[in-house]
RNA sequence: GGCGAUGUAGCUCAGGCGGUUAGAGCGAGGGUUUCAUAAGCCCUAGGUCGUUGGUUCGAGUCCAACCAUCGCCA
């Protein structure tokens, strides 16, 4: 038994949950479910990031207290995940008192160590934006947004001296090639650490005169903590750092899941912060790509945000999460469209899986009195199905270690295919017409029930409701309670003859593509 | 402008330690079957492996340049 702490980013409360948030959260949920079924000790965390100027601005514009605004959006995230059946051991908010304490604790540690210093700097400040501009923000010397000249201004802030840790971090990454994965992102982080990348010490504060919606610095009440020294520490706080029992064990097995847009904070800032605080580094940083929608980037202005609740209402959440997990190669960008979703549902879930369940249980009802039949001796065809189950179980275990969920699902569906093919080869609907072949019919249906049990177990982390339904229909209702993956999915003979089965309705009815209006 | 990634059948992608006829799934076409959700099963894809040049007996597979897309940085 090993400890797995699985984290999603804490989502910034300036947007409602969309397909991007949903994907990361579904991956976390799937990993957590898989490891629970593997008998591991799992702690799964998500939450919301609520401080910073964007929230202060939006709240002010609405004439609202930022706290009230943040409460509303944070609750929206929490209730969305709950409604979708994505469960977590902790939903953390950066406004939670224990998070605030953890942030201040780390700040004190790092400050005492001498890794935080106070610096004065000059820059071009836009009064409209209320911030310093970079070259990128300007066109012809004017602020891009406000079309006015910024003024030179001096400000003092606290800086985290993270460049001190770049060498040590680089060595860590060289030493452990899969620490940041997939490899493409590891390379990017290495590039960031090179001297010519321009990456410097990190500004971690804002004067309260400019922003007061944040966590106060423990060593200077005139400043609040800015962005990453606040947000990243949620990962520690959620596990109980610094004073709740058990946090260290959980921290020992942390798997971070992020999208590629926040690679730098997680691949560079965060490990440097942990080293500065003399804390162990996370197990892996797992980085995935973006979802495009109808081949375009997700954006508010395009209105193509894809609400997970709407997808659930229209197609069922298992179908939606199956698509997300099956169609994205972890690490690469992928494209969502309802057409692609429907295609996937029909091909995999309706035709292959759903239909296999239908035909198996229908024949069990017709030819075996609706109970799992007593088999005769197994022949080579039966051995083939058993071997397919074994292969699927093992490949799923391998793929899950690498976070290649699309490959894991491919492997499971090879078992589904093998079972469909087996059924055709045995053709029990023909054998049933010949009384002397009754034993063969029983053996065949018994084997299919066995296969469905394996399929249900393996599928459970990915499409939990569907998997539970399949197991229930083949009389393996209790299988999940005592299951241990992957071994249990390849254990043959676990379905007891005589157990009642249930035919049920179509698991995934085929969907006809609608012609126009949406 | 610098660094990096990607570019393989209509679509999504495998292969990429150089070597027999370049693979899978989906979609499409044909066949077969009827237990099943007009599902399953069987057969069929002849794709200059982005372009051009090089290394080699031999290159999607190595090297260079270029083009396209994307990301990071400036």
């Amino acid at each position: 038994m090993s400890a797995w702490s699985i984290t999603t980013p804490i989502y910034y409360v300036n947007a409602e949950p969309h397909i991007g948030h949903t994907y990361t959260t579904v991956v976390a949920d799937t990993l957590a479910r898989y490891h629970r079924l593997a008998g591991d000790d799992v702690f799964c965390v998500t939450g919301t990031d609520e401080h910073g100027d964007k929230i202060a601005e939006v709240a002010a514009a609405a004439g609202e207290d930022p706290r009230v605004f943040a409460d509303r959006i944070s609750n929206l995230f929490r209730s969305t995940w709950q409604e979708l059946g994505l469960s977590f051991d902790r939903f953390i908010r950066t406004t939670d008192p224990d998070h605030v304490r953890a942030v201040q604790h780390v700040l004190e540690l790092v400050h005492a160590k001498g890794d935080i210093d106070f610096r004065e700097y000059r820059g071009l400040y836009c009064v409209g934006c209320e911030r310093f501009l970079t070259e990128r923000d300007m066109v012809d010397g004017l602020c891009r947004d406000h079309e006015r000249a910024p003024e030179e201004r001096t400000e003092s802030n606290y800086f985290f001296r993270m460049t001190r840790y770049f060498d040590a971090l680089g060595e860590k990454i060289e030493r452990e090639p899969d620490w940041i994965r997939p490899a493409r992102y590891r390379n990017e982080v290495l590039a960031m650490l090179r001297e010519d990348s321009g990456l410097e010490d990190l500004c971690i504060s804002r004067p309260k005169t400019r922003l007061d919606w944040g966590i106060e610095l423990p060593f200077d009440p005139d400043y609040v903590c800015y962005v990453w020294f606040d947000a990243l520490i949620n990962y520690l706080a959620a596990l109980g750092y610094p004073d709740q029992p058990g946090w260290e064990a959980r921290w020992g097995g942390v798997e971070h899941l992020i999208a590629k847009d926040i690679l730098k904070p997680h691949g560079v800032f965060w490990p440097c912060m942990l080293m500065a605080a003399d804390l162990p580094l996370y197990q892996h940083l797992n980085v995935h790509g973006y979802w495009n929608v109808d081949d375009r980037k997700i954006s508010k202005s395009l209105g193509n945000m894809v609400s997970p609740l709407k997808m659930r209402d229209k197609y069922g959440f298992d179908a939606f999460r199956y698509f997300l997990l099956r169609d994205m190669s972890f690490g690469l960008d992928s494209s969502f469209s309802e057409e692609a979703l429907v295609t996937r549902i029909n091909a995999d879930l309706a035709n292959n899986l759903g239909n296999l369940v239908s035909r198996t249980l229908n024949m069990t009802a017709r030819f075996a009195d609706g109970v799992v039949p007593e088999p005769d001796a197994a022949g080579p065809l039966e051995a083939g199905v058993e071997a397919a189950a074994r292969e699927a179980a093992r490949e799923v275990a391998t793929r899950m270690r690498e976070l290649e969920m699309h490959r894991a699902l491919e492997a499971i569906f090879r078992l589904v295919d093998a079972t469909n093919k087996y059924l055709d080869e045995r053709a029990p609907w023909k054998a049933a017409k010949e009384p002397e072949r009754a034993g063969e019919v029983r053996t065949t249906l018994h084997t299919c029930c066995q296969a469905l049990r394996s399929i249900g177990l393996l599928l459970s982390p990915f499409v939990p409701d569907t998997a539970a339904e399949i197991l229930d229909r083949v009389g393996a209702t209790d299988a999940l309670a005592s299951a241990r993956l992957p071994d249990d999915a390849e254990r043959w003979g676990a379905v007891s003859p005589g157990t009642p089965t249930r035919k049920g309705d179509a698991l995934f009815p085929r969907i006809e593509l609608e012609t126009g209006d949406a």
Side-chain angles (χ1 to χ4, degrees), chain A residues 349-367:
Chain A
L349 298 179
N351 294 354
N352 290 338
L353 176 64
N355 187 47
L356 172 64
V357 172
S358 277
R359 62 200 302 220
T360 298
L361 294 177
N362 186 58
M363 284 190 281
T364 303
R366 275 176 63 169
F367 306 138

Side-chain angles (χ1 to χ4, degrees), chain A residues 219-231:
Chain A
F219 42 80
D220 190 338
D222 291 333
Y223 284 84
V224 296
C225 182
Y226 191 64
V227 188
W228 296 108
F229 240 90
D230 175 352

Side-chain angles (χ1 to χ4, degrees), chain A residues 130-335:
Chain A
E130 295 184 345
R131 64 184 183 90
F132 287 87
L133 302 181
T134 64
E135 283 184 36
R136 219 180 216 166
D137 300 318
M138 292 185 289
V139 180
D140 298 329
L142 301 179
C143 168
R144 189 184 286 276
D145 293 336
H146 296 89
E147 294 182 354
R148 60 193 284 180
E151 56 190 58
E152 240 184 69
R153 196 182 269 206
T154 301
E155 190 169 285
S156 297
N157 263 310
Y158 288 90
F159 285 77
F160 169 45
R161 305 173 71 176
M162 69 175 177
T163 49
R164 295 182 158 186
Y165 296 97
F166 279 13
D167 287 347
L169 178 55
E171 283 165 23
K172 164 83 175 176
I173 296 172
E174 297 286 0
R175 204 166 54 238
E176 293 178 41
D178 75 338
W179 185 54
I180 295 173
R181 59 189 180 183
R184 52 194 306 155
Y185 298 111
R186 166 183 184 266
N187 293 339
E188 280 207 25
V189 172
L190 281 173
M192 293 172 195
L193 293 175
R194 282 202 310 261
E195 283 186 18
D196 61 357
S197 78
L199 195 54
E200 294 175 3
D201 287 338
L202 185 68
C203 182
I204 61 160
S205 70
R206 284 292 182 274
K208 279 190 182 171
T209 52
R210 192 139 81 77
L211 172 73
D212 65 357
W213 175 236
I215 296 174
E216 185 178 293
L217 296 185
F219 42 80
D220 190 338
D222 291 333
Y223 284 84
V224 296
C225 182
Y226 191 64
V227 188
W228 296 108
F229 240 90
D230 175 352
L232 288 165
I233 287 167
N234 93 82
Y235 297 129
L236 282 167
L239 303 190
Y241 176 89
D243 48 21
Q244 298 300 307
W247 76 266
E248 283 137 315
R250 286 172 180 157
W251 181 251
V254 165
E255 296 284 336
H256 289 317
L257 297 168
I258 63 167
K260 63 184 184 179
D261 58 328
I262 46 177
L263 176 60
K264 187 193 284 183
H266 286 78
V268 179
F269 305 170
W270 182 220
C272 289
M273 287 164 62
L274 290 167
M275 286 190 268
D278 294 312
L279 290 166
L281 303 180
Y282 46 77
Q283 278 296 308
H284 292 105
L285 179 61
N286 305 287
V287 190
H288 70 255
Y290 284 149
W291 278 100
N292 295 316
V293 172
D294 296 326
D295 291 321
R296 311 185 71 168
K297 280 190 181 181
I298 300 174
S299 78
K300 278 185 185 171
S301 54
L302 284 172
N304 59 352
M305 307 293 279
V306 185
S307 153
L309 291 175
K310 280 186 188 157
M311 286 298 116
R312 176 205 56 182
D313 292 344
K314 197 164 174 183
Y315 300 103
F317 192 59
D318 269 2
F320 185 57
R321 65 185 275 164
Y322 176 79
F323 176 85
L324 293 179
L325 294 167
R326 178 63 185 77
D327 259 52
M328 175 172 267
S329 299
F330 194 87
L332 301 176
D333 289 356
S334 199
S335 198

Side-chain angles (χ1 to χ4, degrees), chain A residues 73-92:
Chain A
I73 309 294
S74 180
N75 286 335
L76 182 61
F77 273 93
R78 189 201 303 258
S79 64
T80 298
W81 304 148
Q82 269 169 1
E83 266 198 65
L84 296 176
L86 305 170
S87 61
F88 293 89
D89 300 292
R90 172 73 195 266
F91 186 95
I92 190 168

Side-chain angles (χ1 to χ4, degrees), chain A residues 328-405:
Chain A
M328 175 172 267
S329 299
F330 194 87
L332 301 176
D333 289 356
S334 199
S335 198
F336 172 85
S337 68
E338 288 202 40
E339 191 185 344
L341 171 64
V342 167
T343 301
R344 198 95 238 179
I345 292 172
N346 283 343
D348 294 0
L349 298 179
N351 294 354
N352 290 338
L353 176 64
N355 187 47
L356 172 64
V357 172
S358 277
R359 62 200 302 220
T360 298
L361 294 177
N362 186 58
M363 284 190 281
T364 303
R366 275 176 63 169
F367 306 138
D369 302 321
V371 300
V372 177
E374 183 78 47
D376 284 353
L381 290 180
E382 285 71 30
V385 179
E386 185 177 346
R390 192 164 52 240
E391 272 175 43
R394 291 182 184 173
E395 179 156 3
V396 167
T398 305
R399 297 304 186 181
M400 290 308 276
R401 270 198 295 279
E402 309 296 328
L403 262 70
E404 296 190 307
M405 282 140 303

